Every structure is written in structure tokens, then in C-alpha cells.
Amino acid sequence: MAMLAERDAAYVCVDAPRTDAVSAMPPVIEVTCPELGYLRLHGRNAETWQGSGSVAERFNYRYSHEELEEFVAPVTQMSKRVEDVIVVFNNNAEDYALRNAGEFQKMITNVRSTFGIAPEQAEGADW
């Protein structure tokens, strides 16, 4: 992380299956530059993550409401430390990415409206 921060490069936080597969990254939420926080959600389809026949099979996953809720607080915290936060849904089988992105957007909007302020303005708030 220090190397990225020294170069002002954004770390890409990744959500993927919690598995021992070589290609699975650990779930680390971190910010390494003040301009950008980046979260990429690939889905948690452990059965097809390693050695599946196609990318479509690998990312064939729709996040549940409860799983999406796991990201509200980390994304909100990231927004307090950077200018922009980008959340990319790469669970691109069927229409899962669009549905999950829409649901997550509503969750973030609800956080903002509940507290009456933008998360990035909530210095010291516990989210």
C-alpha cells in the first residue's frame, strides 16, 4: 500500500469469493491516494471462480441485499478520505451488475438522506 501511496496511485479494492484460489484477492478496503477510492465487485461465486469455462460463468453472481449492506460503511468511510469513490459491479452475467448497482445506489442515497448530509461531510461520524 505504501508504494501506491508514494506514487499517488489508487488501490483497487476487490470483492471476490472468499477462497484459497490463487486468483482471489483478500477483502481489503484501503485508500492510497486522495483523488480516488475504487471498489470492484466481482461476485462471490466460489464454484466457478477458478477454472470455469468462461468469464460469464465466473461472474454469474447476484449479490444479496445483506451482502451489499457490507459495503455501505466502507464506501462511506472511503468517501470521507477521497474526492471521488467509484464502485464497479463486474458480476456481469445476465443483468446482475445493473440490478446490484441500482440497489447499492439506493442504499448509499438512504445513508445520505438519513443523516441529512453527504457522507464526505460527516467528519468523525460513525457510520
Side-chain angles (χ1 to χ4, degrees):
M1 297 296 170
M3 181 187 72
L4 292 172
E6 288 169 9
R7 289 164 177 76
D8 209 22
Y11 173 71
V12 179
C13 309
V14 174
D15 184 65
R18 305 315 199 280
T19 178
D20 292 334
V22 176
S23 62
M25 292 182 65
V28 176
I29 303 291
E30 188 57 70
V31 170
T32 56
C33 78
E35 289 85 20
L36 181 65
Y38 190 165
L39 173 60
R40 198 169 170 88
L41 296 104
H42 291 285
R44 296 178 177 175
N45 196 344
E47 292 94 37
T48 61
W49 189 256
Q50 193 72 23
S52 67
S54 71
V55 172
E57 291 173 331
R58 187 178 194 182
F59 301 132
N60 185 9
Y61 190 84
R62 184 170 178 190
Y63 284 91
S64 69
H65 183 82
E66 293 75 23
E67 289 171 324
L68 291 175
E69 284 179 334
E70 295 174 24
F71 301 106
V72 172
V75 166
T76 302
Q77 291 296 325
M78 288 171 73
S79 76
K80 292 188 238 177
R81 299 174 56 197
V82 297
E83 292 176 25
D84 292 304
V85 176
I86 296 174
V87 179
V88 175
F89 285 87
N90 193 44
N91 53 331
N92 51 13
E94 301 187 33
D95 62 351
Y96 297 160
L98 292 173
R99 289 182 182 270
N100 281 151
E103 187 174 359
F104 190 69
Q105 182 179 22
K106 288 177 187 172
M107 290 176 174
I108 293 294
T109 301
N110 286 341
V111 167
R112 294 174 80 167
S113 64
T114 298
F115 291 96
I117 53 175
E120 63 272 11
Q121 296 172 326
E123 285 301 316
D126 290 324
W127 296 88

